[in-house]
Amino acid sequence: LNEINNHSNSIRVYNYNGNINKSLEILSECEIIVATRFHAMILGLLLGKVVLPISYSEKTINVLQDINFKGTCLDIRNLNSIKLEDIDFSYKLDIKDVIEKSQKQFLKLDEVLKN
């Protein structure tokens, strides 16, 4: 955090304190969301932001693959191999079709349960 603050006055850190409305407001104002948590990544994508996921688990990586995310994803287990110039700070994924498809995920289960 100290390194970030020394290099840029355009980066703002917000720590969630329980006020979900304030958090969503701040996220909606962001240009880029560096998402170190799974749900931060999902919220950033839903808000149509540039998202730089920093993955700590296969869950995050698998979801990004499932939705065909082509932006940069950093793996916390391999951070030393990342070069700043290799990070794409412009990629936005339109997830409208993912949202549409997600509405159908339980159709077969609904059919089975109704019978």
Side-chain angles (χ1 to χ4, degrees), residues 71-101:
T72 303
C73 176
L74 305 179
D75 189 327
I76 201 159
R77 298 164 288 195
N78 300 318
L79 284 180
N80 292 335
S81 64
I82 302 299
K83 296 178 185 156
L84 186 60
E85 60 269 12
D86 294 336
I87 298 174
D88 183 354
F89 290 105
S90 63
Y91 177 79
K92 287 185 186 181
L93 177 64
D94 183 350
I95 62 167
K96 289 177 192 156
D97 62 323
V98 174
I99 293 170
E100 266 184 48
K101 289 177 185 175

PDB file of all heavy atoms in Angstrom, residues 71-101:
ATOM      1  N   GLY A  71      -8.806 -10.715 -20.433  1.00  0.00           N
ATOM      2  CA  GLY A  71      -7.948  -9.715 -19.818  1.00  0.00           C
ATOM      3  C   GLY A  71      -6.837 -10.373 -19.002  1.00  0.00           C
ATOM      4  O   GLY A  71      -6.689 -11.592 -18.974  1.00  0.00           O
ATOM      5  N   THR A  72      -6.082  -9.561 -18.336  1.00  0.00           N
ATOM      6  CA  THR A  72      -5.006 -10.045 -17.483  1.00  0.00           C
ATOM      7  C   THR A  72      -5.579 -10.570 -16.179  1.00  0.00           C
ATOM      8  O   THR A  72      -6.436  -9.938 -15.574  1.00  0.00           O
ATOM      9  CB  THR A  72      -4.015  -8.906 -17.167  1.00  0.00           C
ATOM     10  OG1 THR A  72      -3.523  -8.364 -18.396  1.00  0.00           O
ATOM     11  CG2 THR A  72      -2.853  -9.404 -16.328  1.00  0.00           C
ATOM     12  N   CYS A  73      -5.113 -11.729 -15.776  1.00  0.00           N
ATOM     13  CA  CYS A  73      -5.437 -12.276 -14.465  1.00  0.00           C
ATOM     14  C   CYS A  73      -4.107 -12.625 -13.806  1.00  0.00           C
ATOM     15  O   CYS A  73      -3.304 -13.358 -14.381  1.00  0.00           O
ATOM     16  CB  CYS A  73      -6.310 -13.518 -14.577  1.00  0.00           C
ATOM     17  SG  CYS A  73      -6.622 -14.290 -12.962  1.00  0.00           S
ATOM     18  N   LEU A  74      -3.867 -12.063 -12.652  1.00  0.00           N
ATOM     19  CA  LEU A  74      -2.637 -12.343 -11.926  1.00  0.00           C
ATOM     20  C   LEU A  74      -2.893 -13.451 -10.922  1.00  0.00           C
ATOM     21  O   LEU A  74      -3.913 -13.457 -10.240  1.00  0.00           O
ATOM     22  CB  LEU A  74      -2.151 -11.095 -11.199  1.00  0.00           C
ATOM     23  CG  LEU A  74      -1.955  -9.846 -12.054  1.00  0.00           C
ATOM     24  CD1 LEU A  74      -1.490  -8.682 -11.191  1.00  0.00           C
ATOM     25  CD2 LEU A  74      -0.973 -10.107 -13.176  1.00  0.00           C
ATOM     26  N   ASP A  75      -1.968 -14.387 -10.859  1.00  0.00           N
ATOM     27  CA  ASP A  75      -2.053 -15.474  -9.890  1.00  0.00           C
ATOM     28  C   ASP A  75      -1.125 -15.125  -8.732  1.00  0.00           C
ATOM     29  O   ASP A  75       0.076 -14.937  -8.931  1.00  0.00           O
ATOM     30  CB  ASP A  75      -1.634 -16.784 -10.543  1.00  0.00           C
ATOM     31  CG  ASP A  75      -1.902 -17.997  -9.673  1.00  0.00           C
ATOM     32  OD1 ASP A  75      -1.812 -17.880  -8.428  1.00  0.00           O
ATOM     33  OD2 ASP A  75      -2.186 -19.064 -10.238  1.00  0.00           O
ATOM     34  N   ILE A  76      -1.680 -15.022  -7.540  1.00  0.00           N
ATOM     35  CA  ILE A  76      -0.897 -14.597  -6.381  1.00  0.00           C
ATOM     36  C   ILE A  76       0.283 -15.538  -6.119  1.00  0.00           C
ATOM     37  O   ILE A  76       1.280 -15.147  -5.548  1.00  0.00           O
ATOM     38  CB  ILE A  76      -1.801 -14.434  -5.139  1.00  0.00           C
ATOM     39  CG1 ILE A  76      -1.128 -13.524  -4.129  1.00  0.00           C
ATOM     40  CG2 ILE A  76      -2.164 -15.772  -4.528  1.00  0.00           C
ATOM     41  CD1 ILE A  76      -2.063 -12.912  -3.145  1.00  0.00           C
ATOM     42  N   ARG A  77       0.154 -16.772  -6.606  1.00  0.00           N
ATOM     43  CA  ARG A  77       1.220 -17.752  -6.409  1.00  0.00           C
ATOM     44  C   ARG A  77       2.402 -17.515  -7.342  1.00  0.00           C
ATOM     45  O   ARG A  77       3.458 -18.091  -7.167  1.00  0.00           O
ATOM     46  CB  ARG A  77       0.669 -19.166  -6.591  1.00  0.00           C
ATOM     47  CG  ARG A  77      -0.427 -19.503  -5.560  1.00  0.00           C
ATOM     48  CD  ARG A  77      -1.208 -20.704  -5.967  1.00  0.00           C
ATOM     49  NE  ARG A  77      -2.066 -20.347  -7.101  1.00  0.00           N
ATOM     50  CZ  ARG A  77      -3.089 -21.076  -7.518  1.00  0.00           C
ATOM     51  NH1 ARG A  77      -3.393 -22.195  -6.907  1.00  0.00           N
ATOM     52  NH2 ARG A  77      -3.817 -20.692  -8.543  1.00  0.00           N
ATOM     53  N   ASN A  78       2.214 -16.650  -8.362  1.00  0.00           N
ATOM     54  CA  ASN A  78       3.269 -16.385  -9.345  1.00  0.00           C
ATOM     55  C   ASN A  78       3.475 -14.893  -9.582  1.00  0.00           C
ATOM     56  O   ASN A  78       3.813 -14.485 -10.687  1.00  0.00           O
ATOM     57  CB  ASN A  78       2.915 -17.050 -10.689  1.00  0.00           C
ATOM     58  CG  ASN A  78       2.758 -18.531 -10.569  1.00  0.00           C
ATOM     59  OD1 ASN A  78       3.544 -19.190  -9.898  1.00  0.00           O
ATOM     60  ND2 ASN A  78       1.732 -19.069 -11.193  1.00  0.00           N
ATOM     61  N   LEU A  79       3.281 -14.079  -8.596  1.00  0.00           N
ATOM     62  CA  LEU A  79       3.377 -12.625  -8.791  1.00  0.00           C
ATOM     63  C   LEU A  79       4.765 -12.169  -9.206  1.00  0.00           C
ATOM     64  O   LEU A  79       4.906 -11.165  -9.887  1.00  0.00           O
ATOM     65  CB  LEU A  79       2.947 -11.879  -7.527  1.00  0.00           C
ATOM     66  CG  LEU A  79       1.450 -11.812  -7.266  1.00  0.00           C
ATOM     67  CD1 LEU A  79       1.178 -11.037  -5.989  1.00  0.00           C
ATOM     68  CD2 LEU A  79       0.704 -11.192  -8.424  1.00  0.00           C
ATOM     69  N   ASN A  80       5.794 -12.885  -8.827  1.00  0.00           N
ATOM     70  CA  ASN A  80       7.153 -12.466  -9.169  1.00  0.00           C
ATOM     71  C   ASN A  80       7.426 -12.529 -10.665  1.00  0.00           C
ATOM     72  O   ASN A  80       8.338 -11.869 -11.155  1.00  0.00           O
ATOM     73  CB  ASN A  80       8.181 -13.321  -8.425  1.00  0.00           C
ATOM     74  CG  ASN A  80       8.160 -13.059  -6.936  1.00  0.00           C
ATOM     75  OD1 ASN A  80       7.753 -11.991  -6.502  1.00  0.00           O
ATOM     76  ND2 ASN A  80       8.590 -14.028  -6.155  1.00  0.00           N
ATOM     77  N   SER A  81       6.648 -13.307 -11.400  1.00  0.00           N
ATOM     78  CA  SER A  81       6.887 -13.446 -12.838  1.00  0.00           C
ATOM     79  C   SER A  81       6.124 -12.425 -13.669  1.00  0.00           C
ATOM     80  O   SER A  81       6.245 -12.399 -14.884  1.00  0.00           O
ATOM     81  CB  SER A  81       6.499 -14.859 -13.289  1.00  0.00           C
ATOM     82  OG  SER A  81       5.114 -15.068 -13.104  1.00  0.00           O
ATOM     83  N   ILE A  82       5.361 -11.541 -13.032  1.00  0.00           N
ATOM     84  CA  ILE A  82       4.539 -10.566 -13.748  1.00  0.00           C
ATOM     85  C   ILE A  82       5.307  -9.272 -13.975  1.00  0.00           C
ATOM     86  O   ILE A  82       5.939  -8.742 -13.071  1.00  0.00           O
ATOM     87  CB  ILE A  82       3.251 -10.266 -12.952  1.00  0.00           C
ATOM     88  CG1 ILE A  82       2.449 -11.539 -12.702  1.00  0.00           C
ATOM     89  CG2 ILE A  82       2.409  -9.205 -13.641  1.00  0.00           C
ATOM     90  CD1 ILE A  82       1.976 -12.235 -13.953  1.00  0.00           C
ATOM     91  N   LYS A  83       5.212  -8.763 -15.200  1.00  0.00           N
ATOM     92  CA  LYS A  83       5.803  -7.470 -15.530  1.00  0.00           C
ATOM     93  C   LYS A  83       4.667  -6.468 -15.738  1.00  0.00           C
ATOM     94  O   LYS A  83       3.668  -6.774 -16.388  1.00  0.00           O
ATOM     95  CB  LYS A  83       6.636  -7.576 -16.803  1.00  0.00           C
ATOM     96  CG  LYS A  83       7.822  -8.478 -16.662  1.00  0.00           C
ATOM     97  CD  LYS A  83       8.565  -8.582 -17.974  1.00  0.00           C
ATOM     98  CE  LYS A  83       9.683  -9.588 -17.829  1.00  0.00           C
ATOM     99  NZ  LYS A  83      10.071 -10.157 -19.104  1.00  0.00           N
ATOM    100  N   LEU A  84       4.834  -5.285 -15.203  1.00  0.00           N
ATOM    101  CA  LEU A  84       3.803  -4.253 -15.293  1.00  0.00           C
ATOM    102  C   LEU A  84       3.383  -3.991 -16.739  1.00  0.00           C
ATOM    103  O   LEU A  84       2.206  -3.826 -17.028  1.00  0.00           O
ATOM    104  CB  LEU A  84       4.291  -2.960 -14.627  1.00  0.00           C
ATOM    105  CG  LEU A  84       3.276  -1.841 -14.507  1.00  0.00           C
ATOM    106  CD1 LEU A  84       2.075  -2.280 -13.670  1.00  0.00           C
ATOM    107  CD2 LEU A  84       3.905  -0.608 -13.901  1.00  0.00           C
ATOM    108  N   GLU A  85       4.329  -4.008 -17.654  1.00  0.00           N
ATOM    109  CA  GLU A  85       4.003  -3.715 -19.058  1.00  0.00           C
ATOM    110  C   GLU A  85       3.180  -4.830 -19.718  1.00  0.00           C
ATOM    111  O   GLU A  85       2.603  -4.632 -20.785  1.00  0.00           O
ATOM    112  CB  GLU A  85       5.270  -3.434 -19.870  1.00  0.00           C
ATOM    113  CG  GLU A  85       6.272  -4.566 -19.897  1.00  0.00           C
ATOM    114  CD  GLU A  85       7.316  -4.490 -18.786  1.00  0.00           C
ATOM    115  OE1 GLU A  85       7.162  -3.703 -17.845  1.00  0.00           O
ATOM    116  OE2 GLU A  85       8.292  -5.247 -18.868  1.00  0.00           O
ATOM    117  N   ASP A  86       3.071  -5.991 -19.075  1.00  0.00           N
ATOM    118  CA  ASP A  86       2.270  -7.087 -19.614  1.00  0.00           C
ATOM    119  C   ASP A  86       0.816  -7.051 -19.143  1.00  0.00           C
ATOM    120  O   ASP A  86      -0.010  -7.827 -19.598  1.00  0.00           O
ATOM    121  CB  ASP A  86       2.872  -8.439 -19.213  1.00  0.00           C
ATOM    122  CG  ASP A  86       4.231  -8.677 -19.848  1.00  0.00           C
ATOM    123  OD1 ASP A  86       4.507  -8.078 -20.909  1.00  0.00           O
ATOM    124  OD2 ASP A  86       5.015  -9.459 -19.286  1.00  0.00           O
ATOM    125  N   ILE A  87       0.497  -6.132 -18.253  1.00  0.00           N
ATOM    126  CA  ILE A  87      -0.855  -6.066 -17.701  1.00  0.00           C
ATOM    127  C   ILE A  87      -1.731  -5.186 -18.581  1.00  0.00           C
ATOM    128  O   ILE A  87      -1.365  -4.069 -18.920  1.00  0.00           O
ATOM    129  CB  ILE A  87      -0.832  -5.521 -16.258  1.00  0.00           C
ATOM    130  CG1 ILE A  87      -0.036  -6.472 -15.357  1.00  0.00           C
ATOM    131  CG2 ILE A  87      -2.250  -5.347 -15.729  1.00  0.00           C
ATOM    132  CD1 ILE A  87       0.164  -5.967 -13.950  1.00  0.00           C
ATOM    133  N   ASP A  88      -2.894  -5.719 -18.958  1.00  0.00           N
ATOM    134  CA  ASP A  88      -3.853  -4.986 -19.781  1.00  0.00           C
ATOM    135  C   ASP A  88      -4.799  -4.218 -18.858  1.00  0.00           C
ATOM    136  O   ASP A  88      -5.615  -4.811 -18.156  1.00  0.00           O
ATOM    137  CB  ASP A  88      -4.633  -5.963 -20.658  1.00  0.00           C
ATOM    138  CG  ASP A  88      -5.594  -5.271 -21.606  1.00  0.00           C
ATOM    139  OD1 ASP A  88      -5.757  -4.034 -21.512  1.00  0.00           O
ATOM    140  OD2 ASP A  88      -6.190  -5.963 -22.446  1.00  0.00           O
ATOM    141  N   PHE A  89      -4.678  -2.903 -18.859  1.00  0.00           N
ATOM    142  CA  PHE A  89      -5.518  -2.053 -18.023  1.00  0.00           C
ATOM    143  C   PHE A  89      -6.672  -1.442 -18.817  1.00  0.00           C
ATOM    144  O   PHE A  89      -7.217  -0.410 -18.437  1.00  0.00           O
ATOM    145  CB  PHE A  89      -4.689  -0.930 -17.389  1.00  0.00           C
ATOM    146  CG  PHE A  89      -3.740  -1.403 -16.330  1.00  0.00           C
ATOM    147  CD1 PHE A  89      -2.379  -1.492 -16.600  1.00  0.00           C
ATOM    148  CD2 PHE A  89      -4.195  -1.759 -15.076  1.00  0.00           C
ATOM    149  CE1 PHE A  89      -1.491  -1.918 -15.624  1.00  0.00           C
ATOM    150  CE2 PHE A  89      -3.321  -2.195 -14.089  1.00  0.00           C
ATOM    151  CZ  PHE A  89      -1.969  -2.273 -14.368  1.00  0.00           C
ATOM    152  N   SER A  90      -7.057  -2.081 -19.923  1.00  0.00           N
ATOM    153  CA  SER A  90      -8.129  -1.524 -20.744  1.00  0.00           C
ATOM    154  C   SER A  90      -9.229  -2.532 -21.078  1.00  0.00           C
ATOM    155  O   SER A  90     -10.299  -2.137 -21.536  1.00  0.00           O
ATOM    156  CB  SER A  90      -7.558  -0.965 -22.046  1.00  0.00           C
ATOM    157  OG  SER A  90      -6.976  -2.015 -22.804  1.00  0.00           O
ATOM    158  N   TYR A  91      -9.015  -3.801 -20.843  1.00  0.00           N
ATOM    159  CA  TYR A  91      -9.968  -4.835 -21.255  1.00  0.00           C
ATOM    160  C   TYR A  91     -11.226  -4.827 -20.382  1.00  0.00           C
ATOM    161  O   TYR A  91     -11.152  -4.897 -19.170  1.00  0.00           O
ATOM    162  CB  TYR A  91      -9.310  -6.220 -21.185  1.00  0.00           C
ATOM    163  CG  TYR A  91     -10.236  -7.355 -21.529  1.00  0.00           C
ATOM    164  CD1 TYR A  91     -10.537  -7.643 -22.855  1.00  0.00           C
ATOM    165  CD2 TYR A  91     -10.819  -8.125 -20.536  1.00  0.00           C
ATOM    166  CE1 TYR A  91     -11.388  -8.675 -23.180  1.00  0.00           C
ATOM    167  CE2 TYR A  91     -11.674  -9.169 -20.852  1.00  0.00           C
ATOM    168  CZ  TYR A  91     -11.948  -9.439 -22.170  1.00  0.00           C
ATOM    169  OH  TYR A  91     -12.796 -10.468 -22.489  1.00  0.00           O
ATOM    170  N   LYS A  92     -12.369  -4.730 -21.059  1.00  0.00           N
ATOM    171  CA  LYS A  92     -13.665  -4.836 -20.393  1.00  0.00           C
ATOM    172  C   LYS A  92     -14.416  -5.997 -21.014  1.00  0.00           C
ATOM    173  O   LYS A  92     -14.458  -6.130 -22.234  1.00  0.00           O
ATOM    174  CB  LYS A  92     -14.499  -3.565 -20.574  1.00  0.00           C
ATOM    175  CG  LYS A  92     -14.041  -2.392 -19.790  1.00  0.00           C
ATOM    176  CD  LYS A  92     -15.023  -1.239 -19.961  1.00  0.00           C
ATOM    177  CE  LYS A  92     -14.494   0.014 -19.297  1.00  0.00           C
ATOM    178  NZ  LYS A  92     -15.425   1.132 -19.437  1.00  0.00           N
ATOM    179  N   LEU A  93     -15.012  -6.798 -20.192  1.00  0.00           N
ATOM    180  CA  LEU A  93     -15.791  -7.934 -20.675  1.00  0.00           C
ATOM    181  C   LEU A  93     -17.274  -7.606 -20.550  1.00  0.00           C
ATOM    182  O   LEU A  93     -17.756  -7.265 -19.468  1.00  0.00           O
ATOM    183  CB  LEU A  93     -15.471  -9.186 -19.850  1.00  0.00           C
ATOM    184  CG  LEU A  93     -16.263 -10.431 -20.203  1.00  0.00           C
ATOM    185  CD1 LEU A  93     -15.947 -10.886 -21.631  1.00  0.00           C
ATOM    186  CD2 LEU A  93     -15.959 -11.550 -19.223  1.00  0.00           C
ATOM    187  N   ASP A  94     -17.976  -7.694 -21.670  1.00  0.00           N
ATOM    188  CA  ASP A  94     -19.423  -7.508 -21.660  1.00  0.00           C
ATOM    189  C   ASP A  94     -20.041  -8.845 -21.230  1.00  0.00           C
ATOM    190  O   ASP A  94     -19.914  -9.841 -21.934  1.00  0.00           O
ATOM    191  CB  ASP A  94     -19.912  -7.117 -23.048  1.00  0.00           C
ATOM    192  CG  ASP A  94     -21.396  -6.849 -23.102  1.00  0.00           C
ATOM    193  OD1 ASP A  94     -22.103  -7.143 -22.118  1.00  0.00           O
ATOM    194  OD2 ASP A  94     -21.860  -6.350 -24.143  1.00  0.00           O
ATOM    195  N   ILE A  95     -20.677  -8.855 -20.075  1.00  0.00           N
ATOM    196  CA  ILE A  95     -21.201 -10.121 -19.550  1.00  0.00           C
ATOM    197  C   ILE A  95     -22.716 -10.257 -19.693  1.00  0.00           C
ATOM    198  O   ILE A  95     -23.330 -11.101 -19.037  1.00  0.00           O
ATOM    199  CB  ILE A  95     -20.775 -10.331 -18.078  1.00  0.00           C
ATOM    200  CG1 ILE A  95     -21.324  -9.238 -17.182  1.00  0.00           C
ATOM    201  CG2 ILE A  95     -19.278 -10.475 -17.964  1.00  0.00           C
ATOM    202  CD1 ILE A  95     -21.189  -9.569 -15.716  1.00  0.00           C
ATOM    203  N   LYS A  96     -23.307  -9.473 -20.577  1.00  0.00           N
ATOM    204  CA  LYS A  96     -24.756  -9.572 -20.775  1.00  0.00           C
ATOM    205  C   LYS A  96     -25.178 -10.986 -21.155  1.00  0.00           C
ATOM    206  O   LYS A  96     -26.160 -11.507 -20.637  1.00  0.00           O
ATOM    207  CB  LYS A  96     -25.218  -8.581 -21.844  1.00  0.00           C
ATOM    208  CG  LYS A  96     -25.174  -7.144 -21.401  1.00  0.00           C
ATOM    209  CD  LYS A  96     -25.578  -6.212 -22.533  1.00  0.00           C
ATOM    210  CE  LYS A  96     -25.233  -4.790 -22.143  1.00  0.00           C
ATOM    211  NZ  LYS A  96     -25.064  -3.932 -23.283  1.00  0.00           N
ATOM    212  N   ASP A  97     -24.430 -11.616 -22.065  1.00  0.00           N
ATOM    213  CA  ASP A  97     -24.786 -12.973 -22.482  1.00  0.00           C
ATOM    214  C   ASP A  97     -24.566 -13.981 -21.351  1.00  0.00           C
ATOM    215  O   ASP A  97     -25.314 -14.943 -21.211  1.00  0.00           O
ATOM    216  CB  ASP A  97     -24.014 -13.385 -23.735  1.00  0.00           C
ATOM    217  CG  ASP A  97     -22.515 -13.419 -23.523  1.00  0.00           C
ATOM    218  OD1 ASP A  97     -21.990 -12.558 -22.796  1.00  0.00           O
ATOM    219  OD2 ASP A  97     -21.851 -14.314 -24.092  1.00  0.00           O
ATOM    220  N   VAL A  98     -23.577 -13.748 -20.508  1.00  0.00           N
ATOM    221  CA  VAL A  98     -23.343 -14.624 -19.361  1.00  0.00           C
ATOM    222  C   VAL A  98     -24.521 -14.525 -18.393  1.00  0.00           C
ATOM    223  O   VAL A  98     -24.996 -15.537 -17.868  1.00  0.00           O
ATOM    224  CB  VAL A  98     -22.017 -14.257 -18.642  1.00  0.00           C
ATOM    225  CG1 VAL A  98     -21.840 -15.059 -17.372  1.00  0.00           C
ATOM    226  CG2 VAL A  98     -20.831 -14.452 -19.568  1.00  0.00           C
ATOM    227  N   ILE A  99     -25.003 -13.318 -18.176  1.00  0.00           N
ATOM    228  CA  ILE A  99     -26.149 -13.115 -17.288  1.00  0.00           C
ATOM    229  C   ILE A  99     -27.385 -13.812 -17.859  1.00  0.00           C
ATOM    230  O   ILE A  99     -28.122 -14.493 -17.137  1.00  0.00           O
ATOM    231  CB  ILE A  99     -26.403 -11.616 -17.065  1.00  0.00           C
ATOM    232  CG1 ILE A  99     -25.245 -11.003 -16.268  1.00  0.00           C
ATOM    233  CG2 ILE A  99     -27.733 -11.384 -16.350  1.00  0.00           C
ATOM    234  CD1 ILE A  99     -25.268  -9.496 -16.207  1.00  0.00           C
ATOM    235  N   GLU A 100     -27.594 -13.663 -19.174  1.00  0.00           N
ATOM    236  CA  GLU A 100     -28.730 -14.327 -19.820  1.00  0.00           C
ATOM    237  C   GLU A 100     -28.651 -15.833 -19.660  1.00  0.00           C
ATOM    238  O   GLU A 100     -29.633 -16.488 -19.305  1.00  0.00           O
ATOM    239  CB  GLU A 100     -28.767 -13.975 -21.311  1.00  0.00           C
ATOM    240  CG  GLU A 100     -29.650 -12.820 -21.647  1.00  0.00           C
ATOM    241  CD  GLU A 100     -29.698 -12.591 -23.148  1.00  0.00           C
ATOM    242  OE1 GLU A 100     -29.891 -13.562 -23.913  1.00  0.00           O
ATOM    243  OE2 GLU A 100     -29.538 -11.426 -23.541  1.00  0.00           O
ATOM    244  N   LYS A 101     -27.485 -16.396 -19.930  1.00  0.00           N
ATOM    245  CA  LYS A 101     -27.304 -17.844 -19.812  1.00  0.00           C
ATOM    246  C   LYS A 101     -27.482 -18.312 -18.370  1.00  0.00           C
ATOM    247  O   LYS A 101     -27.991 -19.408 -18.135  1.00  0.00           O
ATOM    248  CB  LYS A 101     -25.925 -18.248 -20.332  1.00  0.00           C
ATOM    249  CG  LYS A 101     -25.785 -18.135 -21.827  1.00  0.00           C
ATOM    250  CD  LYS A 101     -24.375 -18.482 -22.270  1.00  0.00           C
ATOM    251  CE  LYS A 101     -24.208 -18.260 -23.756  1.00  0.00           C
ATOM    252  NZ  LYS A 101     -22.821 -18.479 -24.197  1.00  0.00           N
TER     253      LYS A 101
END
